[in-house]
């Protein structure tokens, strides 16, 4: 059934369904709030004033996990490759690719994606893609990144997002919306809003969501939430209706006529994109999140640590002696460490040890930390805290063998970024006002071009562009250096003769400078000296290629004893705490430094 938001009956049904969906989403928002409080720790903001009530976080595993996931999945700004199935459009595709990458840089899309990944760690990541002057979203405050008319992407908090909870899949939803607050004066002076509806609105300066009674997470550290803003505000919501292809702007919590009704001329999937890092739940539209699976173990580990701390603080040593042994006790009390002291009857003088950390609880705590690391997807390896081998290749083999879960999350994030970039490309293609300047080099020449509305001919879909985001994953300097070395040894060196015949050469001086930078060893440039600067050296001589040299390679395998991995050392420690006796090899391992 097609809904008409201007009809009071249809609008009432829509608002009733939205209120039902908000109530069904409330448990997810509440558990998200609890997990975010674990993530920020006990001493964040006003939370430091009620430590005992909140149960102190001693080992903040949630923060470490969230930080590691964000760095692993969305460390860098995405760049896209734009290709076309039509060979004659290859140059045009490259031009559009440069324009889109410049737009991605201008709107700081990498920060939006990091925020979405962090939200998806706790529950669900949401990003809205829209044209900045379309009236679909008014950002709180002033954002200098937003230029009127340009495609834009924004991360939406779960507190401000609602969608059809009756649907079992995102493609089946009947509506999705996000709330936001805008100054009352702004909507009063904006011509896109119905002036009769604006007059019926009562502005408010209260940040509490009065019509539902919920307290958004943003109020966590604001103390008195009823303090007035600098100016009266109004809470609005933009409701996207997929079947009707409409975006309706309404006042939140009131059955007033719409402020505006606009046809959605953007991509057919709508303005909202959702991100989940875990497998979907059958017949449920909200997915399970990594934090939901890890919070239980995080609570157990911190509960054990709090208990062990209390036990350790209660531990005390009490010297005692039997009646008649006062002189022995006095002499022992005056004796210094290691001093020989006469004792007439040593059996009547002793030290009573009381309290202390329970060894069973300590062993269980070690086991729970190992299980947490396993459930988080080998967190130590993802964070670079685990054991490392002598070569990067061995580390990559180890990491590749244990990171299938990480690969699944990377696929989800890359697909999520692809859809966002594709929608931004669609909006850029259909934007009849935006001009983007591009600059690229061919050899030693620099060319400047401009993406203008006049260059857009036909429909975006007719060109069959394929957008593929890359460069989002973090690469350490050692990985970059390893890739460079592999390219030189596996590609350039075997083709050195063809390279020189084509007028090419390997710039050794530049190679030394890159190695010095990536290895963080500037002294390399002091060790390797060149008589002439790069600009004064003669060019290659293709007509006299060098004779190939015979290369002899020798592989040497060494076994270096280490203190073992964190997991193996933890197993030995649990064995000792349980009363077991480690063998000679395990004892020697504990005496050496930990691997990595």
């Amino acid at each position: 059934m097609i809904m008409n938001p201007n009809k009071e009956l249809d609008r009432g049904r829509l608002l009733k369904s939205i209120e039902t969906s908000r109530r069904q989403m409330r448990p997810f928002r509440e558990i998200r709030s609890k997990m975010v409080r674990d993530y920020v720790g006990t001493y964040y903001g006003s939370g430091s004033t009620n430590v005992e009530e909140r149960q102190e976080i001693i080992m903040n595993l949630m923060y470490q996990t969230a930080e590691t996931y964000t760095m692993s999945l969305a460390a860098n700004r995405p760049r896209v490759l734009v290709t076309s199935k039509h060979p004659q459009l290859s140059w045009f595709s490259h031009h559009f690719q440069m324009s889109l990458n410049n737009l991605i840089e201008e709107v700081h899309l990498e920060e939006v994606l990091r925020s979405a990944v962090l939200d998806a760690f706790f529950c669900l990541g949401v990003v809205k893609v829209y044209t900045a002057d379309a009236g679909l979203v008014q950002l709180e405050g002033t954002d200098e990144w937003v230029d009127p008319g340009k495609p834009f992407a924004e991360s939406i908090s779960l507190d401000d997002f609602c969608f059809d909870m009756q649907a079992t899949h995102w493609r089946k939803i009947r509506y999705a919306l996000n709330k936001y607050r805008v100054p009352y004066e702004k909507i009063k002076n904006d011509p896109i809003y119905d002036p009769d509806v604006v007059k019926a609105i009562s502005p408010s300066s209260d940040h509490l969501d009065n019509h539902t009674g919920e307290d958004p997470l943003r109020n966590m550290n604001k103390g008195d939430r009823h303090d007035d803003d600098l100016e009266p505000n109004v809470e609005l919501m933009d409701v996207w209706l997929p079947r009707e292809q409409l975006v309706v702007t309404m006042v939140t919590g009131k059955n007033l006529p719409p402020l505006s009704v606009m046809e959605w001329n953007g991509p057919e999937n709508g303005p909202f994109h959702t991100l989940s890092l875990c497998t979907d739940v059958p017949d449920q539209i909200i997915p399970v999140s990594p934090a939901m699976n890890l919070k239980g173990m995080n609570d157990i580990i911190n509960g054990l640590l709090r208990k062990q701390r209390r036990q350790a603080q209660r531990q005390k040593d009490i010297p005692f002696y039997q009646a008649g042994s006062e002189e022995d006790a006095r002499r022992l009390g005056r004796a210094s460490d290691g001093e020989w002291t006469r004792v007439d009857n040593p059996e009547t003088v002793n030290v009573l040890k009381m309290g202390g950390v329970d060894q069973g609880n300590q062993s269980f705590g070690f086991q729970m930390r190992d299980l947490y690391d396993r459930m988080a997807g080998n967190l130590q390896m993802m964070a670079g805290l685990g054991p490392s081998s002598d070569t990067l290749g061995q580390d990559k083999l180890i990491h590749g063998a244990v990171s299938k879960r990480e690969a699944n999350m990377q696929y989800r994030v890359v697909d999520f970024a692809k859809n966002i970039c594709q929608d931004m490309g669609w909006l850029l293609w259909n934007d009849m006002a935006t001009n983007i300047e591009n600059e690229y080099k061919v050899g030693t020449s620099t060319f400047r071009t401009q993406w203008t509305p006049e260059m857009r001919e036909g429909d975006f879909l007719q060109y069959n562009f394929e957008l593929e985001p890359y460069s989002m994953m973090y690469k350490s300097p050692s990985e970059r250096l390893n890739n460079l070395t592999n390219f030189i040894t596996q590609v350039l060196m075997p083709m050195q003769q063809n390279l020189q015949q084509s007028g090419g050469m390997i710039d050794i001086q530049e190679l030394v400078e890159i190695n010095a930078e990536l290895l963080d060893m500037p002294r390399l440039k002091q060790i390797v000296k060149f008589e002439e600067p790069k600009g004064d050296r003669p060019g290659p001589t293709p007509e006299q290629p060098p004779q190939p040299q015979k290369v002899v390679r020798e592989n040497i395998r060494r076994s270096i004893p280490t203190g073992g991995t964190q997991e193996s050392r933890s197993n030995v420690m649990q064995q000792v705490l349980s009363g077991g006796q480690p063998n000679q090899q395990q004892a020697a391992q504990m005496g050496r430094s930990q691997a990595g």
Side-chain angles (χ1 to χ4, degrees):
M1 184 181 73
I2 301 300
M3 195 204 72
N4 186 352
N6 290 308
K7 291 184 178 180
E8 185 176 358
L9 180 61
D10 289 355
R11 190 170 60 250
R13 290 173 177 171
L14 173 63
L15 292 175
K16 184 177 180 180
S17 180
I18 291 175
E19 185 60 29
T20 301
S21 293
R22 283 200 62 84
R23 285 198 304 268
Q24 293 175 345
M25 291 181 65
R26 186 168 185 172
F28 295 96
R29 289 192 293 269
E30 290 176 348
I31 189 63
R32 170 179 174 264
S33 178
K34 293 179 182 179
M35 292 185 295
V36 170
R37 291 177 187 273
D38 288 346
Y39 162 75
V40 300
T42 309
Y43 301 99
Y44 178 81
S46 60
S48 59
T49 60
N50 55 350
V51 173
E52 293 300 327
E53 180 182 343
R54 287 187 54 198
Q55 293 189 332
E56 184 179 4
I57 301 296
I58 298 177
M59 180 180 288
N60 199 334
L61 295 172
M62 296 289 275
Y63 171 80
Q64 183 185 26
T65 310
E67 183 184 43
T68 301
Y69 278 26
T70 305
M71 177 58 67
S72 175
L73 301 175
N76 300 315
R77 177 185 303 125
R79 296 194 298 272
V80 295
L81 295 174
V82 180
T83 58
S84 175
K85 297 179 181 178
H86 307 295
Q88 65 272 21
L89 296 176
S90 58
W91 181 89
F92 190 75
S93 301
H94 181 67
H95 192 193
F96 183 63
Q97 171 183 310
M98 289 191 299
S99 303
L100 183 54
N101 283 326
N102 286 340
L103 176 64
I104 289 173
E105 180 179 2
E106 185 175 344
V107 301
H108 295 231
L109 184 60
E110 70 279 8
E111 297 186 12
V112 177
L113 292 176
R114 289 192 200 111
S115 179
V117 170
L118 184 60
D119 285 340
F121 171 76
F122 296 111
C123 187
L124 184 70
V126 183
V127 170
K128 188 173 187 179
V129 181
Y130 59 96
T131 302
D133 67 345
L136 304 183
V137 169
Q138 301 290 344
L139 297 180
E140 295 184 6
T142 301
D143 196 330
E144 61 183 3
W145 300 343
V146 183
D147 293 333
K150 284 190 177 179
F152 191 72
E154 181 191 10
S155 178
I156 304 297
S157 169
L158 191 65
D159 286 336
D160 300 327
F161 184 64
C162 181
F163 55 92
D164 184 10
M165 288 289 290
Q166 302 302 316
T168 57
H169 195 277
W170 178 256
R171 291 192 297 269
K172 299 178 181 180
I173 62 171
R174 295 169 295 176
Y175 57 84
L177 64 98
N178 72 292
K179 303 185 304 178
Y180 53 91
R181 292 173 63 83
V182 293
Y184 178 71
E185 289 295 325
K186 187 168 185 177
I187 67 167
K188 189 167 65 173
N189 299 324
D190 197 327
I192 70 170
Y193 297 131
D194 188 336
D196 294 333
V197 181
V198 172
K199 291 179 182 178
I201 297 176
S202 300
S204 170
S205 58
D206 189 359
H207 277 273
L208 186 65
D209 197 344
N210 284 321
H211 70 281
T212 62
E214 295 186 36
D215 195 6
L217 184 62
R218 68 175 66 92
N219 291 338
M220 181 172 63
N221 289 305
K222 290 187 178 179
D224 188 358
R225 308 179 193 88
H226 298 271
D227 290 343
D228 289 343
D229 288 332
L230 293 176
E231 55 185 338
N233 287 276
V234 177
E235 187 175 86
L236 306 180
M237 60 181 179
D238 290 330
V239 185
W240 174 57
L241 304 174
R243 296 178 184 174
E244 295 79 7
Q245 288 294 294
L246 296 175
V247 174
V248 185
T249 302
M250 308 171 67
V251 180
T252 304
K254 297 181 180 179
N255 190 0
L256 293 176
L259 281 164
S260 70
V261 178
M262 302 177 60
E263 291 187 4
W264 172 249
N265 294 320
E268 61 180 358
N269 55 290
F272 296 106
H273 297 265
T274 59
L275 172 64
S276 166
L277 296 181
C278 293
T279 305
D280 297 335
V281 180
D283 297 331
Q284 297 293 324
I285 194 169
I286 292 186
V288 68
S289 70
M292 294 178 187
N293 291 324
L294 297 174
K295 178 170 171 53
M297 284 186 290
N298 177 73
D299 292 345
I300 291 175
I301 292 170
N302 279 279
L304 287 171
L305 289 175
R306 289 192 293 268
K307 185 173 185 177
Q308 291 171 23
R309 180 181 63 182
R310 294 192 299 269
Q311 292 176 342
Q313 290 171 342
R314 291 196 302 266
Q315 191 275 334
K316 53 186 176 181
D317 295 342
I318 305 176
F320 67 91
Y321 60 91
Q322 290 183 358
S325 302
E326 290 82 357
E327 289 299 323
D328 286 349
R330 190 175 294 110
R331 285 193 292 268
L332 290 174
R334 292 195 300 264
S336 301
D337 182 38
E339 179 183 353
W340 289 91
T341 306
R342 182 177 66 84
V343 180
D344 295 331
N345 188 359
E347 295 181 357
T348 61
V349 183
N350 208 333
V351 176
L352 177 64
K353 293 183 177 291
M354 299 184 62
V357 178
D358 181 79
Q359 293 184 352
N361 286 341
Q362 193 172 9
S363 176
F364 181 60
F366 278 114
Q367 182 181 6
M368 288 304 301
R369 287 196 284 274
D370 289 341
L371 288 175
Y372 182 96
D373 183 82
R374 184 181 298 274
M375 286 295 296
N378 199 348
L379 188 63
Q380 290 192 41
M381 192 67 198
M382 290 176 62
L385 303 176
S388 59
S389 59
D390 287 343
T391 66
L392 178 65
Q394 293 174 5
D395 267 347
K396 292 182 74 66
L397 288 175
I398 295 172
H399 187 64
V402 297
S403 62
K404 300 298 186 296
R405 182 176 180 181
E406 181 184 3
N408 177 60
M409 291 189 296
Q410 288 179 348
Y411 172 80
R412 288 174 175 268
V413 173
V414 169
D415 188 62
F416 177 70
K418 175 183 177 180
N419 293 333
I420 292 175
C421 293
Q422 202 154 12
D423 282 8
M424 293 187 69
W426 194 97
L427 293 175
L428 176 62
W429 180 272
N430 290 278
D431 188 350
M432 293 293 105
T434 299
N435 296 330
I436 296 181
E437 294 185 357
N438 301 316
E439 180 179 304
Y440 61 97
K441 293 184 178 181
V442 178
T444 58
S445 302
T446 301
F447 296 90
R448 288 181 175 84
T449 61
Q450 194 174 39
W451 178 268
T452 63
E454 292 75 19
M455 299 186 64
R456 307 165 176 86
E457 296 181 2
D459 187 82
F460 178 74
L461 300 177
Q462 293 176 344
Y463 288 85
N464 292 322
F465 287 138
E466 292 288 338
L467 275 69
E468 181 179 355
Y470 66 101
S471 78
M472 292 177 59
M473 310 310 169
Y474 173 75
K475 289 185 179 180
S476 65
S478 59
E479 287 182 283
R480 297 176 186 273
L481 183 61
N482 183 70
N483 292 337
L484 176 63
T485 303
N486 287 339
F487 176 73
I488 293 175
T489 58
Q490 299 179 14
V491 179
L492 292 184
M493 295 301 293
M495 301 177 63
Q496 186 175 6
Q497 185 172 350
N498 295 333
L499 178 68
Q500 292 191 346
Q501 289 176 354
S502 302
M505 62 178 293
I506 299 176
D507 193 329
I508 303 299
Q509 184 173 351
E510 183 69 22
L511 184 61
V512 171
E513 292 181 357
I514 292 176
N515 275 262
E517 178 183 359
L518 295 180
L519 292 174
D520 193 20
M521 297 176 62
R523 292 185 177 181
L524 280 179
K525 292 185 284 187
Q526 300 176 8
I527 297 174
V528 184
K529 295 289 186 179
F530 296 88
E531 295 181 357
E532 299 175 343
K534 288 194 298 184
D536 299 335
R537 293 200 306 270
T541 54
E543 64 275 2
Q544 296 179 355
Q547 296 297 322
Q549 298 180 356
K550 183 178 181 180
V551 179
V552 179
R553 293 184 174 88
E554 181 180 5
N555 295 325
I556 301 176
R557 185 173 182 178
R558 295 181 298 165
S559 297
I560 302 176
T562 67
T565 64
Q566 175 65 30
E567 183 176 358
S568 64
R569 293 171 70 89
S570 177
N571 291 334
V572 176
M573 182 62 69
Q574 292 180 45
Q575 180 180 345
V576 172
L577 292 174
S578 302
Q581 185 69 27
N583 56 37
Q584 184 177 1
Q585 181 179 0
Q586 292 173 329
Q589 169 185 301
M590 297 299 289
R592 293 190 291 264
S593 300
Q594 179 181 332

